[in-house]
Amino acid sequence: MPLDLQRTVVAVSSGITPARRAIVRLSGWHTHRILGDLLVATDPQRQAEKTRLLESPVASSARLHCRIGWGDRSIAASTYFWPDSRSFTGEPCAELHVLGSLPIVESLTEQITMLGAVPAHRGEFTLRSFMAGKIDLTQAEAVLGVIEAESEAQLESALRQLGGNLSSPVRELRDQLVELIAHLEAGLDFVEEDIEFISSAELRECLERIRGQLASISDRLRSRGSRARSPQVVLVGLPNAGKSSLFNALVGHSRAIVSSQAGTTRDAIVQRVLLGELPIDLIDTAGMEQLDESSPRALAQDVLEAKLRQADVALFCIDMSREHSDQWLGAQTDMLGASGAAVLRIGTKCDLAGDLNGDVVDLAVSTHLPETIQALRRTLARTLADVHKELHSDAMHHTMVRCRQSIDLARAAMDRAIELVADQAGEELVAAELRLALDDLSAVIGEVHTEDILGQIFSRFCIGK
């Protein structure tokens, strides 16, 4: 994205739809002059308000009129002006709050461009804030996360990141690395005097502590990196375990074919289901089988495995009318859990239960007993409540992926540094690895960046933000 800080930019920063109010924002070093030409003083009192607004050394506001490009016509506007670098963008900035009529908003922006401003690029206001050091790169991405948030949990997560819950620990680790590098390089400067600024034991302890903190941050990012989507709930189990009947019961109507013949379900069937206010994707799959031949039933196992890898919760359906060994149940539960999904062991056909111990399942249900289906819905809603908190908007997902890559690179550099200390290699080699880790951490918060990275991030913004 080209960034010319000599330009003064303008854009509509509210939605481009009819509304009661709209916001037109401009930023740049010509903002003061443009406001002076744009604002109209209709009487001495308004002239005094305009003078106060434009001459105030701090942020101020006034209710004035501004030209809208139709001859001598003007429109009332609540005008907010930040005259110096203390604004969000780090330069003079103004907002005009006017009636949300689209012709009025379009005419106002045209008038401002006639006075010397140019249309802003996508995300240019936030990019200017980043370049001015008002926010770091993770906070800039959090702005987009706030805009894209579709739930209270997503909004809360984006606001926490905007508040610095990701960048603050990274900055602390970066400061620790800077101090370590200073000790090592000071020792290199005085190597002939045999002055030791930090011992090998102290160095290794510091390196291992930083590596552990990096691992903790990486794990949190990995667990938080899901895209915005509905939680995925997959029904799995042996053929004829009652999966399709349970699927239909949760959906509320017959969506999947129910048959006593094994292999009826060969492809995944997906249905959106509402659990309270939470929408989920409920997925019925083929029964778990070990098949060697290349047949539709064998291919269905590939579909099952793919859905399990994407699942947030796996409902492991266990036919309570049949006998199953504890060893088999344990092995299957471990196998399903290895996919990363939360596993709920659901005993189906409990009205036909034989000698199966009810303790081996988390919940026993029957499609002939509606109260058990309602109990399953409540249990599933509680299980998904925590899962849903970690589902992020697309912007937050990109943040997590980008930051995790940099954190993992920093961890690799720390591993190499620890190996060099253990091998009693030269301190200049250790310092070189620490500088690599320092660059990787700086990339997280944007102190080291490229135009390509900035272009990828800010091109996802809407114009006006």
Side-chain angles (χ1 to χ4, degrees), residues 443-463:
V444 172
I445 54 181
E447 292 185 359
V448 173
H449 59 268
T450 65
E451 289 188 7
D452 288 341
I453 289 177
L454 296 184
Q456 290 173 6
I457 292 173
F458 289 97
S459 64
R460 301 199 304 270
F461 279 67
C462 57
I463 295 173

Side-chain angles (χ1 to χ4, degrees), residues 94-117:
E95 286 186 359
L96 300 166
H97 296 219
V98 298
L99 290 173
S101 165
L102 293 184
I104 289 176
V105 173
E106 291 173 358
S107 179
L108 176 58
T109 54
E110 288 175 5
Q111 181 70 29
I112 293 173
T113 58
M114 289 174 60
L115 292 172

Side-chain angles (χ1 to χ4, degrees), residues 29-145:
W29 296 105
H30 297 294
T31 298
H32 184 278
R33 177 188 58 78
I34 291 173
L35 281 182
D37 295 337
L38 182 71
L39 298 175
V40 178
T42 56
D43 54 54
Q45 181 179 355
R46 298 298 184 190
Q47 180 61 50
E49 281 290 296
K50 176 180 175 180
T51 301
R52 180 188 63 80
L53 176 78
L54 294 177
E55 294 183 358
S56 174
V58 295
S60 59
S61 63
R63 180 72 173 173
L64 297 166
H65 278 69
C66 57
R67 308 179 196 279
I68 56 173
W70 298 339
D72 294 330
R73 293 187 181 182
S74 62
I75 184 73
S78 295
T79 306
Y80 301 84
F81 180 43
W82 295 263
D84 55 24
S85 60
R86 286 173 286 184
S87 72
F88 172 71
T89 56
E91 58 192 8
C93 182
E95 286 186 359
L96 300 166
H97 296 219
V98 298
L99 290 173
S101 165
L102 293 184
I104 289 176
V105 173
E106 291 173 358
S107 179
L108 176 58
T109 54
E110 288 175 5
Q111 181 70 29
I112 293 173
T113 58
M114 289 174 60
L115 292 172
V118 297
H121 295 296
R122 288 179 176 270
E124 185 164 354
F125 291 99
T126 308
L127 176 56
R128 288 177 177 232
S129 180
F130 165 71
M131 297 300 292
K134 297 292 182 176
I135 56 176
D136 61 42
L137 201 53
T138 62
Q139 290 172 311
E141 290 169 298
V143 172
L144 186 55

